[in-house]
Amino acid sequence: GIQVEQSPPDLILQEGANSTLRCNFSDSVNNLQWFHQNPWGQLINLFYIPSGTKQNGRLSATTVATERYSLLYISSSQTTDSGVYFCAVESRNSGNTPLVFGKGTRLSVIA
Amino acid sequence: GAGVSQSPRYKVAKRGQDVALRCDPISGHVSLFWYQQALGQGPEFLTYFQNEAQLDKSGLPSDRFFAERPEGSVSTLKIQRTQQEDSAVYLCASSRRQGNTEAFFGQGTRLTVV
């Protein structure tokens, strides 16, 4: 099945810093989503982005489907951005497959 | 409803006990998914429904795990004779249809088997 790799696995930022999280995937995709899992375990939808670029406030994402990667940008980070960021993809070539998750990037933003 | 709702939020079970976890998807969503998330890991797929039909149960770890969605809306994940290795967060997600569409997750049920 499709493989999803996220980097870095852990990231510590000073409040106000910018960061880039990466998601590599091994096959063509129909769907790619970025999620933020907050300290209470809730998966919050950030972006539905199988291709192209989107922005939402301090967050933006870019997926280059032909090169099989996606990037999540966080600007002017805040302590509330802490948590785990997951990339999840749905393979185009494996029939009716569900979302497959990467292992996540654990972000800690310190004041 | 406004979002995917799961209950209970927390469940402590004695080893060997049966448990049932409930998921209320977003109204009108055709597809429903169950995932298992172990501590420090990403969610792992368990099973998938399209309406009332269970189209994929390849991720269920053993025959002690059973899921149903009899009327194509609410779903129940049942675990029989729970074991300590079943301790995890169980997440439910729904989407308008299968494929090429955004999935939304519930808050999860944290199961602890003692």
Side-chain angles (χ1 to χ4, degrees):
Chain A
I2 194 167
Q3 304 296 312
V4 182
E5 295 203 359
Q6 292 186 243
S7 59
D10 296 278
L11 186 58
I12 300 175
L13 294 178
Q14 197 76 36
E15 196 170 29
N18 303 329
S19 64
T20 301
L21 282 55
R22 188 176 179 103
C23 172
N24 291 335
F25 43 95
S26 61
D27 201 358
S28 300
V29 297
N30 282 329
N31 179 6
L32 187 146
Q33 292 185 238
W34 283 98
F35 297 91
H36 175 214
Q37 190 164 45
N38 63 24
W40 296 270
Q42 174 80 56
L43 279 170
I44 308 296
N45 288 40
L46 297 178
F47 294 102
Y48 168 68
I49 187 167
S51 64
T53 297
K54 292 186 177 179
Q55 180 155 6
N56 184 3
R58 295 181 297 103
L59 302 183
S60 63
T62 295
T63 297
V64 183
T66 53
E67 297 187 22
R68 300 184 182 169
Y69 73 90
S70 183
L71 302 174
L72 177 69
Y73 305 97
I74 305 174
S75 65
S76 305
S77 58
Q78 301 176 358
T79 56
T80 51
D81 295 333
S82 296
V84 184
Y85 290 80
F86 287 105
C87 169
V89 303
E90 176 189 323
S91 172
R92 176 176 299 173
N93 297 322
S94 301
N96 293 327
T97 57
L99 285 174
V100 175
F101 282 75
K103 295 186 183 299
T105 292
R106 182 174 300 277
L107 175 64
S108 299
V109 181
I110 54 178
Chain B
V4 179
S5 179
Q6 293 187 243
S7 60
R9 288 293 314 277
Y10 303 92
K11 176 69 179 178
V12 178
K14 291 185 178 178
R15 193 169 60 176
Q17 185 179 351
D18 297 349
V19 298
L21 312 180
R22 177 187 169 103
C23 174
D24 277 275
I26 294 172
S27 178
H29 277 198
V30 165
S31 296
L32 185 147
F33 308 85
W34 283 97
Y35 284 79
Q36 180 190 59
Q37 187 175 20
L39 192 63
Q41 302 296 315
E44 298 276 347
F45 170 73
L46 293 177
T47 187
Y48 154 60
F49 291 86
Q50 187 165 312
N51 295 306
E52 69 279 3
Q54 189 174 18
L55 297 188
D56 188 344
K57 53 182 181 179
S58 61
L60 296 176
S62 79
D63 58 8
R64 297 185 295 104
F65 286 70
F66 172 75
E68 60 184 5
R69 193 187 186 196
E71 297 178 1
S73 55
V74 171
S75 178
T76 304
L77 177 67
K78 299 180 179 178
I79 309 173
Q80 297 176 324
R81 305 182 303 281
T82 52
Q83 304 294 317
Q84 281 192 316
E85 61 263 27
D86 300 335
S87 296
V89 175
Y90 291 86
L91 295 163
C92 176
S94 71
S95 64
R96 282 189 296 111
R97 54 185 171 83
Q98 200 284 328
N100 302 359
T101 186
E102 191 172 6
F104 296 87
F105 281 78
Q107 321 94 303
T109 294
R110 182 177 298 276
L111 173 65
T112 303
V113 181
V114 298

